[in-house]
Amino acid sequence: NAGVMQNPRHLVRRRGQEARLRCSPMKGHSHVYWYRQLPEEGLKFMVYLQKENIIDESGMPKERFSAEFPKEGPSILRIQQVVRGDSAAYFCASSPSRDTIYFGEGSWLTVV
Amino acid sequence: KNEVEQSPQNLTAQEGEFITINCSYSVGISALHWLQQHPGGGIVSLFMLSSGKKKHGRLIATINIQEKHSSLHITASHPRDSAVYICAATLFNTDKLIFGTGTRLQVFP
């Protein structure tokens, strides 16, 4: 049973481009979470999704950020028109229930 | 003031020492997590606690619900334990994790 898979591990984008980060949860896990870790800061919750539903997006910036977890395929975190302040590590986690949680290796976004 | 506070922020130890990292929280929680992050690396979940004490190898985690406090202990520390240790709390009745700022541990041989 593979762990939580994130790709790409590293992504470089110019200001104004779009960034798409993908997360495949562990097999059988229906809960997906995205967290952001800004340089020299702690992790912050962004969004919680179940298949085809956004359950809690209270941590998502109001503009340019969106997330989905379609019926088939990975969860996608999409950042439009990236700015330098979006440079961060983005972690995905999945869970079969509310109890245990498994993190991916992270995707490091650098905006130049 | 953060809802989850960790101390110390930085910790250095000699190999073999007993290490304690503390976490206190000020909100209602359903679970408390201890996570490990190596530099530039992913995050590993070490423990999830809702009460009492858990042990895994040289790692022990405890939680006192009344005092809203948890500790992570490492016995017989080793240089490979060097990492950032993060306390995170699942807010009661939600699925949202609130994170402490982490404790950077360095264990020297």
Side-chain angles (χ1 to χ4, degrees):
Chain A
N1 190 7
V4 178
M5 305 299 291
Q6 287 189 249
N7 68 83
R9 289 295 312 279
H10 298 275
L11 181 64
V12 179
R13 282 288 177 264
R14 294 187 185 279
R15 279 178 295 172
Q17 289 185 320
E18 179 179 287
R20 282 192 182 222
L21 309 177
R22 284 173 291 277
C23 169
S24 296
M26 288 180 72
K27 189 176 179 181
H29 288 194
S30 57
H31 303 244
V32 166
Y33 308 82
W34 285 95
Y35 303 94
R36 178 165 68 172
Q37 187 174 42
L38 292 166
E40 304 305 320
E41 291 188 25
L43 286 151
K44 295 280 195 295
F45 167 82
M46 297 184 78
V47 62
Y48 161 43
L49 309 110
Q50 292 182 16
K51 283 283 186 185
E52 299 184 277
N53 284 306
I54 296 173
I55 307 301
D56 182 346
E57 57 181 347
S58 58
M60 289 276 272
K62 293 287 183 278
E63 297 175 351
R64 301 188 296 107
F65 284 72
S66 62
E68 62 176 10
F69 187 18
K71 189 176 177 183
E72 302 289 337
S75 175
I76 307 283
L77 180 67
R78 182 181 177 208
I79 311 171
Q80 294 178 286
Q81 298 170 348
V82 295
V83 300
R84 288 229 170 98
D86 297 332
S87 296
Y90 292 83
F91 286 93
C92 172
S94 76
S95 171
S97 65
R98 278 181 167 181
D99 296 334
T100 52
I101 190 163
Y102 299 84
F103 285 84
E105 293 284 302
S107 290
W108 269 257
L109 171 66
T110 302
V111 180
V112 297
Chain B
K1 192 179 187 306
N2 289 338
E3 292 165 309
V4 178
E5 296 272 359
Q6 279 185 246
S7 63
Q9 278 192 300
N10 294 284
L11 185 55
T12 57
Q14 287 295 129
E15 184 173 355
E17 284 185 6
F18 180 83
I19 286 159
T20 296
I21 300 171
N22 295 300
C23 174
S24 20
Y25 52 92
S26 56
V27 292
I29 70 168
S30 56
L32 192 291
H33 304 254
W34 282 101
L35 312 170
Q36 181 194 56
Q37 184 178 26
H38 285 282
I43 296 169
V44 175
S45 179
L46 299 174
F47 293 103
M48 192 213 63
L49 293 160
S50 51
S51 64
K53 178 179 173 178
K54 285 190 177 179
K55 184 175 189 292
H56 186 253
R58 295 179 295 106
L59 301 178
I60 303 165
T62 63
I63 187 167
N64 184 319
I65 301 293
Q66 285 74 30
E67 294 186 6
K68 294 191 172 181
H69 181 269
S70 175
S71 293
L72 176 69
H73 306 285
I74 305 175
T75 61
S77 59
H78 191 276
R80 65 173 174 266
D81 297 326
S82 299
V84 175
Y85 292 84
I86 302 167
C87 170
T90 304
L91 291 184
F92 185 72
N93 241 9
T94 77
D95 296 273
K96 190 182 298 187
L97 276 179
I98 306 288
F99 297 87
T101 51
T103 295
R104 189 175 301 273
L105 170 67
Q106 286 185 291
V107 181
F108 294 99

